[in-house]
Amino acid sequence: MVTTPAESVLRGSPYRADCPSRRILDRIGDRWTVLVVGALGDGSVRFSELRRRVEGVSQKMLTQTLRGLERDGLVRRTVYPEVPVRVEYTLTDAGRTLREPLRALEEWSIAHLGDVSASQEDYDRPDRASS
Amino acid sequence: MVTTPAESVLRGSPYRADCPSRRILDRIGDRWTVLVVGALGDGSVRFSELRRRVEGVSQKMLTQTLRGLERDGLVRRTVYPEVPVRVEYTLTDAGRTLREPLRALEEWSIAHLGDVSASQEDYDRPDRASS
DNA sequence: CCGTATCCTACCGGATACTG
DNA sequence: CAGTATCCGGTAGGATACGG
């Protein structure tokens, strides 16, 4: 059996401090990045509309998250010098490729979160053997 | 075109505070959970071996991460009452289903982290127009 | 409308010491 | 070996005020 690069990282060698898994987690492992990518979808979205789509995000964190994505080349920022100014954000081609793996994760969560919640409640019951 | 459930969450409605995407991020969005799931692979792994596979994880955080995964029903903990004691961790069936989406993410990072790094360096150059 | 600048708090997570 | 307990600092991120 030929070991693919991905598998060599996943199983062959330990997770080094600079392995791809960690680098990507450092980028999307925060509270908002994944949600912003999802909220952008495949269109152009204004800042204020993004704020509405990602419920609870503060102005500061939305700006910070978008700057990070722009720096990574995953989001393009376009300013229309109208009055008042209009700013639109769009996923780049690279950014769009991120949607598929993220969607896979979301589908997993939709499929399994019920079981996870049930397991948690069972685990938290002080009485009864853990079975 | 029929809108799938996943898409209705991704695009139709805003990301509510209790949507599946957020729940899963709250669980695996921390520093170690994803790495521990990867390090477990499809076998049984001892605590000390896990520490070695996930470079840099502290004893406290490894324990805490494993407890969380056990609570979620994604990891099974087995104690062998030998002297000294031996404890092995294994992904449950549910836990194993998480590996595919996580692997997809890792493969994305392997494929794109080079471009991301290049984009960052370009973005961080003070001089020169952004394009 | 779309930010930036400050301040401030919660908590994640590391270091260390101690048990069964 | 596999934890638990305690302390502690750095930082993610919220609230607020202000600027272009």
Side-chain angles (χ1 to χ4, degrees), chain A residues 30-32 56-61 64 85:
Chain A
D30 61 290
R31 198 177 197 74
W32 302 111
V57 67
S58 66
Q59 192 169 35
K60 169 188 170 181
M61 290 316 298
Q64 189 171 302
V85 68

